């Protein structure tokens, strides 16, 4: 389209896309908002962006039957009336002298803005057929933060991703981007690799080591050397994309990374219900740290059972029984998580916990014993609170006292997801589990009974135990050694 071409509104009229009244309404809106005629028509709902693109192709003299030819950027800028032919000629002459990008020269000379450059580049890509793929199916709009010191690059990525249905926020200052992560909560961050001051590698490292480490990062780089890619990936980047890649490829990479990150976050939330944050982080850091499909490993198993709870349940209304049970099991669960154990399951008025699966530590047996002692201390506190409430309400007699019995045993088990395709749970099975359950059943109120292997594992810590007579357990040929933790 040359400087003597008809007005864009007239072109749309000739193509039969709009009516004269619609063009006049768009011109009136243009006077109020400063929008171009085409954008005003889109805002009013009279045309689609695709129809505008077809009209631009016609205005530029493109033959749609010739395939995806790419018109020169300068020609598009003139056709969109962003620059004049004289300004384009001046900038092209300067480009031939110093070899710089035409867009940067035009902006430097004040002939147009970066936004206009990238609007033209977006039209260029669409005319060339680069964005004919269907938009990704998404629930709502994903928020993408782009960090690049080049306003030209920011505008290009923003224009392309917005056209594909994303919400895009751009930062040329990486420090400002880091400060805004908590407020913006993006679905993903796209960062240039080479930036002055704070480069993409350092930005990635700081984000991954900070409170927003779950936000995925894709590194954008014009340098395709393997060493540069590896630098970004080692800093914690989830993927990298070359800047020459199409918007369709970039969108596909974004969806892939967000999907993977979502699966990781779901696993984080799943395990967070059963174990401590520290264990969850270890599970997610290394695929070898937890084999959910099933494996043999030595663990320490803890069973805890509330004594006298049946009598309490018979003397209280159902809603109060549930409230008391939740309070007591909550304190027991806190002890498990505090000591880095995994809460395997609740068993009516008790629970089962595992130390050593899905993440093993050298002091798992000691952690299990410390957990048992924390549970006993919690019961002392709960009894004191119950007695104080009993007196405060002026009740006669003595309150029914709840007690706790704990069984602790170590040994080799099979751990993993056990169950059917419809419902499975992470648990441990094996003889060591059965023995721990039997010890819990034998334990008296306020007693922690410990198996022989557990005592061996914690003996180096000089923990006091009392030797008890060996006991014969169901399913065992010989009596087994028994100890009481003091």
């Amino acid at each position: 389209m040359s400087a003597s071409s008809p007005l864009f509104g007239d072109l749309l009229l000739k193509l039969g896309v709009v009516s004269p009244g619609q063009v006049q309404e768009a011109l009136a809106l243009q006077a109020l908002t400063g929008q171009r005629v085409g954008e005003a028509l889109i805002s009013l709902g009279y045309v689609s962006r695709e129809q505008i693109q077809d009209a631009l192709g016609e205005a530029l003299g493109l033959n749609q039957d010739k395939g995806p030819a790419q018109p020169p950027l300068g020609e598009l800028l003139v056709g969109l009336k962003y620059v004049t032919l004289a300004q384009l000629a001046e900038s092209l002459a300067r480009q031939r002298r110093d070899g710089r990008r035409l867009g940067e020269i035009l902006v430097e000379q004040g002939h147009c803005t970066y936004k206009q450059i990238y609007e033209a580049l977006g039209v260029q890509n669409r005319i060339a057929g680069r964005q004919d793929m269907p938009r990704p199916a998404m629930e709502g709009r994903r928020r993408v933060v782009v960090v690049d010191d080049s306003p030209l690059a920011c505008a290009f990525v923003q224009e392309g991703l917005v056209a594909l249905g994303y919400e895009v926020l751009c930062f040329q200052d990486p420090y400002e981007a880091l400060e805004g992560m908590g407020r913006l909560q993006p679905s993903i961050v796209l960062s240039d690799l080479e930036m002055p001051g704070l480069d993409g590698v350092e930005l990635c490292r700081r984000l991954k080591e900070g409170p927003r480490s779950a936000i995925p990062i894709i590194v954008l780089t014009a340098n395709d050397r393997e060493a540069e890619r590896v630098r970004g990936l080692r800093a914690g980047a989830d993927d990298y994309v070359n800047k020459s890649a199409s918007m369709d490829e970039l969108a596909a990479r974004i969806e892939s990374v967000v999907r993977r990150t979502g699966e990781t976050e779901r696993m984080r939330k799943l395990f967070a219900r059963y174990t401590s944050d520290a264990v969850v982080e270890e599970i997610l850091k290394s695929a070898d740290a937890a084999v959910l499909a099933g494996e043999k490993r030595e663990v320490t198993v803890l069973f805890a059972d509330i004594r006298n709870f049946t009598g309490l349940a018979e003397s209280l209304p159902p809603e109060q029984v549930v409230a008391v049970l939740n309070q007591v099991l909550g304190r027991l669960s806190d002890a498990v998580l505090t000591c880095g154990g995994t809460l395997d399951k609740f068993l009516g008025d008790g629970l089962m916990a595992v130390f050593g699966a899905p993440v093993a530590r050298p002091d798992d047996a000691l952690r299990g014993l410390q957990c048992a002692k924390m549970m006993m201390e919690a019961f002392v506190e709960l009894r004191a609170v119950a007695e104080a409430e009993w007196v405060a309400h002026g009740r006669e007699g003595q309150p029914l006292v709840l007690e706790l019995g704990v069984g602790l045993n170590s040994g080799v088990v099979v751990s993993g997801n056990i169950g059917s395709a419809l419902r499975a749970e992470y648990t441990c099975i094996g003889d060591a589990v059965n023995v721990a359950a039997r010890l819990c059943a034998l334990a008296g109120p306020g007693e922690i009974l410990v198996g022989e292997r557990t005592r061996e594992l914690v003996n180096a810590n000089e923990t006091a135990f009392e030797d008890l007579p060996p006991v014969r357990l169901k399913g065992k040929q010989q009596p087994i050694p028994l100890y009481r933790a003091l």
Side-chain angles (χ1 to χ4, degrees), residues 191-195 198-208 217 219 227-237:
S191 175
D192 185 22
L193 187 60
E194 299 175 353
M195 296 184 290
L198 188 71
D199 64 10
V201 173
E202 181 62 16
L203 173 71
C204 184
R205 186 189 65 78
R206 293 191 185 188
L207 186 59
K208 290 299 182 180
I217 303 174
V219 170
E228 294 301 314
R229 299 196 304 268
V230 170
R231 283 181 64 224
L233 294 173
R234 282 180 174 170

Side-chain angles (χ1 to χ4, degrees), residues 47-107:
V47 295
S48 67
R49 193 169 294 278
E50 288 72 23
Q51 289 173 310
I52 293 292
Q53 293 165 11
D54 291 342
L56 281 172
E58 182 71 22
L60 294 168
L62 298 174
N63 187 343
Q64 300 298 324
D65 296 330
K66 290 182 180 179
Q70 178 175 303
L73 175 63
E75 183 178 331
L76 279 175
L77 290 167
V78 173
L80 292 169
K81 296 185 179 294
Y82 290 154
V83 300
T84 65
L85 284 172
Q87 290 170 339
L88 177 61
E90 175 191 352
S91 298
L92 286 172
R94 184 163 182 173
Q95 182 188 39
R96 285 192 291 270
R97 289 197 305 270
D98 57 24
R100 295 167 57 204
R101 295 177 181 178
L102 176 62
E104 293 178 353
I105 295 173
L106 287 166
V107 173

Side-chain angles (χ1 to χ4, degrees), residues 59-386:
L60 294 168
L62 298 174
N63 187 343
Q64 300 298 324
D65 296 330
K66 290 182 180 179
Q70 178 175 303
L73 175 63
E75 183 178 331
L76 279 175
L77 290 167
V78 173
L80 292 169
K81 296 185 179 294
Y82 290 154
V83 300
T84 65
L85 284 172
Q87 290 170 339
L88 177 61
E90 175 191 352
S91 298
L92 286 172
R94 184 163 182 173
Q95 182 188 39
R96 285 192 291 270
R97 289 197 305 270
D98 57 24
R100 295 167 57 204
R101 295 177 181 178
L102 176 62
E104 293 178 353
I105 295 173
L106 287 166
V107 173
E108 184 180 284
Q109 295 297 310
H111 299 327
C112 61
T113 66
Y114 278 120
K115 185 174 184 295
Q116 292 170 332
I117 290 288
Y118 270 92
E119 286 177 354
L121 285 172
V123 174
Q124 185 185 57
N125 284 340
R126 288 192 290 270
I127 291 174
R130 290 185 183 176
Q131 294 177 2
D132 293 333
M133 297 293 288
R135 295 183 180 183
M138 296 176 292
E139 295 181 5
R141 301 175 67 193
R142 296 202 194 283
R143 175 172 288 178
V144 180
V145 165
V146 180
V147 186
D148 197 312
D149 62 311
S150 168
L152 204 62
C154 282
F156 178 63
V157 175
Q158 183 177 40
E159 198 276 342
L161 291 181
V162 167
L164 290 172
Y166 294 87
E167 178 187 359
V168 182
L169 303 171
C170 295
F171 292 88
Q172 294 169 38
D173 183 349
Y175 292 100
E176 183 182 356
L178 277 174
E179 291 174 1
M181 290 299 170
R183 173 175 50 86
L184 299 174
Q185 297 184 348
S187 301
I188 195 167
V189 173
L190 310 182
S191 175
D192 185 22
L193 187 60
E194 299 175 353
M195 296 184 290
L198 188 71
D199 64 10
V201 173
E202 181 62 16
L203 173 71
C204 184
R205 186 189 65 78
R206 293 191 185 188
L207 186 59
K208 290 299 182 180
E209 292 180 357
R212 306 297 170 185
S213 59
I215 299 175
I217 303 174
I218 293 180
V219 170
L220 301 177
T221 176
N223 191 335
D224 203 30
R225 292 197 304 269
E226 181 179 358
E228 294 301 314
R229 299 196 304 268
V230 170
R231 283 181 64 224
L233 294 173
R234 282 180 174 170
D238 297 271
D239 202 350
Y240 75 92
V241 177
N242 194 286
K243 287 187 175 181
S244 63
S246 67
M247 282 297 152
D248 293 317
E249 179 182 348
L250 179 56
R253 294 288 188 96
I254 289 173
E255 292 304 307
S256 175
V257 169
V258 170
R259 185 167 55 250
R260 293 200 312 266
T261 305
E263 291 170 357
T264 301
E265 194 60 26
R266 282 193 294 274
M267 180 176 284
R268 182 194 302 275
K269 290 179 180 178
L270 171 66
F271 274 98
R273 297 170 58 191
Y274 305 108
T275 189
S276 66
D277 292 340
V279 173
V280 173
E281 291 304 320
E282 289 187 35
I283 293 171
L284 298 178
K285 276 194 296 186
S286 172
D288 296 332
V291 180
L292 302 184
E295 65 170 350
K296 286 186 176 181
R297 57 168 65 212
E298 185 174 43
V299 302
T300 296
V301 184
L302 180 151
F303 279 85
D305 183 71
I306 304 172
R307 307 293 193 250
N308 300 331
F309 190 79
T310 302
L312 181 68
E314 292 173 351
S315 64
L316 295 176
E319 62 274 11
Q320 195 170 347
V321 172
V322 172
V324 171
L325 186 60
N326 285 339
Q327 181 184 24
V328 174
L329 292 179
R331 293 294 298 273
L332 300 184
S333 302
D334 290 344
V336 174
L337 302 184
T338 299
C339 294
T342 299
L343 182 59
D344 189 288
K345 59 176 68 70
F346 290 109
L347 302 165
D349 55 0
L351 59 78
M352 170 185 168
V354 180
F355 296 81
V359 173
R361 289 170 172 167
D363 60 346
D364 283 321
L366 180 60
R367 288 172 179 268
L369 183 58
Q370 290 174 342
C371 175
K373 292 183 176 181
M374 285 184 63
M375 289 178 172
M376 292 301 178
E377 292 171 0
F379 258 72
V380 172
E381 296 174 5
L382 288 170
R383 282 197 300 270
V385 171

